[in-house]
Each structure stands twice: as structure tokens, then as C-alpha cells.
Amino acid sequence: MQQTLWFDPKKIFIGGAWQDPGNAATIAVEDPSTGEVVGEIGQASADDVDKAVAAAQLALEGDWGRTPAVERGRLLTRLAQLVKERAEELAFLESTDVGKPMKQARNDSVALARYLEFYGGAADKLHGTTIPYQEGFTVYTLREPHGVTAHIIPWNYPMQILGRSVGAALAMGNACVLKPAEDASLSSLAFAALAAEAGLPAGALNVVTGYGADVGRALSTHPGVDHVSFTGSVLTGQHIQEAAARNVVPVTLELGGKSPHIVFDDVDLEAALPTLVGACIQGAGQTCSAASRVLVQRGIYDEVRRRMAEVYAGLRVGPAAENLDLGPLVSAKQKKIVSDYIVLGKSELTVAAEGVIADRAPAAGHYVAPILFADVPPDHRLAQEEVFGPVQVLIPFDDEAEAIRIANGTDYGLVAGVWTRDGARQMRMARRLNVGQVFINNYGAGGGVELPFGGVGKSGHGREKGFEALYGFSRLKTVTAQHG
Ligand code: NAP
Ligand code: MG
């Protein structure tokens, strides 16, 4: 890696100190743009997870637990400042680790700083209430942290996801144990070093790296964990929820989606076009809220198809450093998953257009050309399953009722985009879509730190981001005092 790191990626961060992980074996860090190994990270053991949870508990009993809300806010604000100072380096680190074009990785470091700023400002703004009760009583509620919160995050937007979940948890006074994905741990380690520099008390944030099946599992099943925040696949989310059920602790699950754009024939197509495509191919399609389905009213279907196909034909894929429209996928494993879907699509569906992989893209990089399929039946696997790659499907519809039926007709329900100039229709659609977030004449895959985010159905439950997350990362105590 052509960058001097300010932390040792082979160590883990527990109780404010960098430690050697219990396993001597390391995990290779691969640059998806080249397929080359550019470093290694440590592999924590179940013992390390015990230590991290114990360090978090100690922090709650000690300095961190006694830190007033206003001071927690100041610490997060200081941390936001350090992230801003390192924004370019963090972006480069992420770009090398997960293959994101630099312009997208820069957005992620800016978003991380913004989450910390937002939650820094919010830390002392959430409070309990007094409740009118019987004569002679005073009743009030207290907002308290859960205690130790576990944060298991994926590889697609590590900085944004750690920002939204760890940021809100720390604001409410929880002590965090963060387990990043094995494919994307560098930014979490870099973040831990900055947290220490900002003066976060020891044990308030701990980072353990390693494989999900052992470190992730040890953390999510740990009896000392009081709340689990998970973003990733449905299958792993089910394991996490089962473990949380056994320990009877709350869990927030953000499990992806099959989110639709719904384009009516009165759309301002010129304005919509870049977003119709961009909301899917951002992050090379590896975005939980990617708009992977485009439902188009029949009257403008041919025109939308033609215009989107033109955009697709101009899309270029290449190494992250070249800042093209798309970088590589994160890993050979992800490329295989996505390529299998494309093979299936090509054998059963009509290809409207494909993008181009740049000639100079290294052969060992994990590149996939973005592809748009037309006239896709709503029950086709490509219209139902999350591909997590740059694959978008066009589906025609006749009227509002059919659009709603198709839009709501998957197991998921994360986000939807409604494109129409008809105000009454905007309001009707917003109410009838079974999703956690509706965008009207815009679509911000992943964006907007202020906006509560989360799903229904197999997209998960609980809300992160925005002020709302602070309720999820705290619990309410009711105090009833009789004083005559
Ligand atoms: P995943 O298995 O759900 O991984 C997400 C996180 O969970 C990672 O930190 C992972 O660690 C950890 N993990 C894995 N198994 C675990 C277990 N048994 N207990 C606790 N933690 C565990 O997702 P993936 O395998 O990376 O990707 C597979 C598919 O998931 C993708 O193709 C995509 O469809 C979906 N996905 C969705 C999102 C989203 O934002 N909703 C993000 C990523 C992936 P390791 O990575 O170290 O194993
Ligand atoms: Mg990597």
C-alpha cells in the first residue's frame, strides 16, 4: 500500500490499547482492483472477544460511564474533526481495500465525519419526560444506554455504516465492540486510532478483526453484549437474531433489499435519468439500498429503456484509482455470485445494454460490466433476489395499482423511489409502499445522515441514522416517586 498507516493493521484495539490477537495467523488484505495482496490484518480469537466485552463493561463502570452527555458530544465532534483532517487518506485506504473509485470513497469519509458531527451535536439533546400521574406522585423517564453494544458491519460501506451505528451508540453512552468484515477492516482500525487520538476513554470503543463465522459469532452470541447492530445478508441476520433471542437482547438488522424506482409517464425524464442509473451502479451495485428494479409506466417504457440503455453503453469500469463510473467488486467470491446472476439473466431475459470494462483493467481484478435487462417478469429471480452487483431490471406497468403490487411484491422493503409530477399520486404512493424510506423525485442510496433508515420484511427491522437512531441505541427507565 503506498500509504503510511497510522496504526498497525495486524493488531486489534481493546481497552484503549493495541494488542496482538489470540490467533497468530493473519488474513490477507487484497486490493480488488488488482487482485494483489497489499497487507494483512489480525485474526482475533474468542478470548479476544471476551476481553473486548470485558473492556467495554469496565469502561461503562469507569470514565466512560461517568462522561456527561455534553462531553460525549464534544468527543464525537473532535473525532469528526480528525476524520476530516484524514479524509483523503481514509478514502484512499477504503478505495484500496474494497475497490471503490476514489470519488465514491471520498463521499464515505465525508459521510463518516458528518455522522460524528451529527451525533456529536445530538448527544445532549435527547432526554426523558415527566408524566402526569396521580396526586402525590412525580413520574419521569430516564434515557439510558443499553450498555455494551456490538456492531457487526459489512464490506460495502464500512465507514458510513460504522459512522451511523457506532456514532449513535457512543452519543447515547454505550460502550462499543466493532467487528468489521474480513474484506474491509482497515478503515475501522484507522477509526479506532483516531478515536484514541480524540481522547475517547479506554474501552468505549473496541475493534476486533477476523472471520464472521468465529469472531462475529463469538461477539453476537456473547452473554455480556446488551444490544446488537448488524448490517449484512439475510442469512447472517437470521443467525444474529437467533443469538439475540437466546440472550434476550434487542437487535437492529439492516439486511439489504430489492428497491424499486417507480417511473410514471409524467416524469421529468431529463432530471431523473442520471439518478435512475446512478442509484443502482453506485458502489458497483453493492449497496443495500441500490435501486435494482426500475418499474416504468407503459406509455414511456420504450423511451426510458432507450435512454437508460444509452447511459449504460457509456459506463466504464476500471481500477479504483482511475475514478471511472464503477470500480471492481469487492472479491472473487462476490464476482462469482454476480456473474452467475448475469449468466442466468442472459439465458432467460433480454439485454437492453451493457457497460464496458476498460482494456487496462488488471485481469486479476474483480471486474463486472454493468448490465440492464428489459421486459423482466416481476417474479423472475433477477426481479426478486438481491444481486449485490451492477445489474438492473426494467419492468413495465400499466397503472398505479399495478405499480404498487409489483413494488411491494418481493420479500424485501428497504427503499423506493417515486418519479411523478402529480402531487396527489406522490402522497398516495408514499403511503402504500411497504418500505422504510420513500424518495419522491430523487433517490439517495445510502445518503443523508439525518434521514432515519431501515427496512420492513426481510430488509430487517429497527432504524439507524438520523435522530431516530438515538432511541434505538438507548432504553427508557420510568421512575415513579410517591411524595404525598
Ligand atoms: P454477511 O455474511 O452477512 O457479512 C456481514 C458481516 O457479518 C461481516 O462482518 C461478516 O464477517 C459477519 N458475519 C458473517 N457470518 C457471521 C456469523 N455467523 N455471525 C456473526 N457475524 C457474521 O455478508 P457477506 O457474506 O459479506 O455477503 C453476502 C451477501 O450479503 C451479499 O452478496 C449481499 O447480497 C449481502 N450483503 C448485504 C449488505 C447490506 O448492506 N445489506 C452488505 C453486505 C452484504 P466476515 O465478512 O468477516 O465473514
Ligand atoms: Mg480488501
Side-chain angles (χ1 to χ4, degrees):
M1 215 168 301
Q2 310 143 311
Q3 183 177 10
T4 314
L5 299 179
W6 59 93
F7 60 96
D8 178 351
K10 293 199 291 300
K11 296 204 186 272
I12 52 179
F13 189 68
I14 296 178
W18 291 98
Q19 308 192 1
D20 289 321
N23 287 315
T26 56
I27 300 173
V29 174
E30 187 201 31
D31 177 349
S33 294
T34 61
E36 284 166 14
V37 172
V38 292
E40 46 190 341
I41 54 168
Q43 211 185 121
S45 63
D47 268 0
D48 294 324
V49 173
D50 282 344
K51 282 189 215 157
V53 172
Q57 284 164 337
L58 208 61
L60 291 164
E61 291 160 18
D63 285 355
W64 180 238
R66 285 192 291 270
T67 304
V70 62
E71 189 53 34
R72 295 198 303 266
R74 286 188 188 125
L75 284 164
L76 288 172
T77 307
R78 208 173 297 151
L79 184 48
Q81 186 56 37
L82 294 177
V83 168
K84 279 187 212 167
E85 286 165 18
R86 299 274 193 174
E88 189 66 13
E89 289 161 279
L90 284 165
F92 182 75
L93 203 60
E94 197 87 298
S95 168
T96 311
D97 203 359
V98 306
K100 262 174 215 254
M102 270 303 281
K103 58 188 170 194
Q104 294 182 25
R106 282 190 189 107
N107 281 343
D108 290 0
S109 47
V110 168
L112 170 56
R114 183 72 193 104
Y115 276 117
L116 298 168
E117 229 170 41
F118 182 87
Y119 288 120
D124 60 352
K125 309 294 185 294
L126 190 64
H127 42 69
T129 52
T130 54
I131 300 172
Y133 193 52
Q134 298 168 22
E135 175 59 23
F137 284 78
T138 296
V139 181
Y140 60 95
T141 59
L142 295 171
R143 274 272 154 207
E144 297 180 338
H146 290 292
V148 179
T149 51
H151 305 260
I152 300 177
I153 66 169
W155 39 259
N156 55 344
Y157 289 84
M159 284 199 279
Q160 294 216 29
I161 295 171
L162 84 83
R164 78 185 188 204
S165 99
V166 169
L170 289 175
M172 294 315 290
N174 298 282
C176 305
V177 182
L178 169 64
K179 205 304 268 178
E182 90 226 14
D183 285 328
S185 292
L186 297 179
S187 53
S188 293
L189 295 166
F191 177 74
L194 296 181
E197 194 181 329
L200 200 70
L205 171 70
N206 308 274
V207 181
V208 285
T209 56
Y211 293 110
D214 44 58
V215 182
R217 183 170 355 185
L219 179 59
S220 60
T221 56
H222 201 290
V225 166
D226 302 300
H227 178 283
V228 184
S229 162
F230 172 77
T231 304
S233 63
V234 175
L235 185 64
T236 306
Q238 287 165 335
H239 293 315
I240 302 271
Q241 183 154 354
E242 277 167 16
R246 275 191 294 277
N247 289 333
V248 197
V249 293
V251 55
T252 303
L253 298 180
E254 202 277 86
L255 309 178
K258 193 73 193 173
S259 299
H261 283 298
I262 305 164
V263 185
F264 287 94
D265 58 11
D266 63 344
V267 65
D268 178 349
L269 189 55
E270 281 317 307
L273 198 59
T275 308
L276 293 184
V277 177
C280 179
I281 59 141
Q282 171 190 326
Q286 304 165 117
T287 305
C288 46
S289 52
S292 51
R293 295 185 291 159
V294 187
L295 282 44
V296 186
Q297 201 162 17
R298 224 170 272 278
I300 52 155
Y301 180 81
D302 288 342
E303 188 188 354
V304 172
R305 174 183 165 167
R306 182 175 55 77
R307 296 293 306 277
M308 284 183 68
E310 284 166 13
V311 177
Y312 263 79
L315 293 175
R316 294 289 172 273
V317 188
E322 294 202 15
N323 248 336
L324 303 178
D325 303 301
L326 292 88
L329 299 186
V330 72
S331 62
K333 176 182 155 201
Q334 195 62 21
K335 181 178 172 179
K336 168 88 172 81
I337 294 173
V338 174
S339 302
D340 286 351
Y341 274 113
I342 293 176
V343 169
L344 171 76
K346 283 186 170 174
S347 71
E348 297 180 357
L349 300 168
T350 306
V351 176
E354 276 183 274
V356 176
I357 299 173
D359 290 340
R360 56 195 179 282
H366 310 307
Y367 299 98
V368 167
I371 186 162
L372 177 67
F373 290 104
D375 311 329
V376 179
D379 60 353
H380 192 276
R381 284 184 58 199
L382 282 186
Q384 289 287 325
E385 298 174 17
E386 183 178 54
V387 173
F388 231 59
V391 178
Q392 210 171 16
V393 298
L394 280 162
I395 304 172
F397 70 85
D398 285 315
D399 55 19
E400 226 173 282
E402 190 183 16
I404 291 279
R405 216 165 36 243
I406 298 172
N408 288 344
T410 74
D411 288 342
Y412 292 104
L414 192 55
V415 169
V418 178
W419 298 87
T420 176
R421 293 187 236 219
D422 178 337
R425 175 184 276 158
Q426 293 168 358
M427 298 302 113
R428 284 192 300 273
M429 294 294 291
R431 284 184 183 269
R432 292 173 65 194
L433 288 162
N434 292 334
V435 294
Q437 189 169 8
V438 177
F439 290 101
I440 298 171
N441 293 330
N442 74 107
Y443 194 108
V449 308
E450 306 87 344
L451 312 178
F453 178 70
V456 305
K458 289 230 167 61
S459 290
H461 50 76
R463 295 291 176 264
E464 290 194 342
K465 301 176 56 178
F467 205 76
E468 188 67 26
L470 300 174
Y471 296 102
F473 281 109
S474 60
R475 61 191 185 198
L476 199 70
K477 180 183 282 172
T478 308
V479 181
T480 308
Q482 184 177 15
H483 41 69

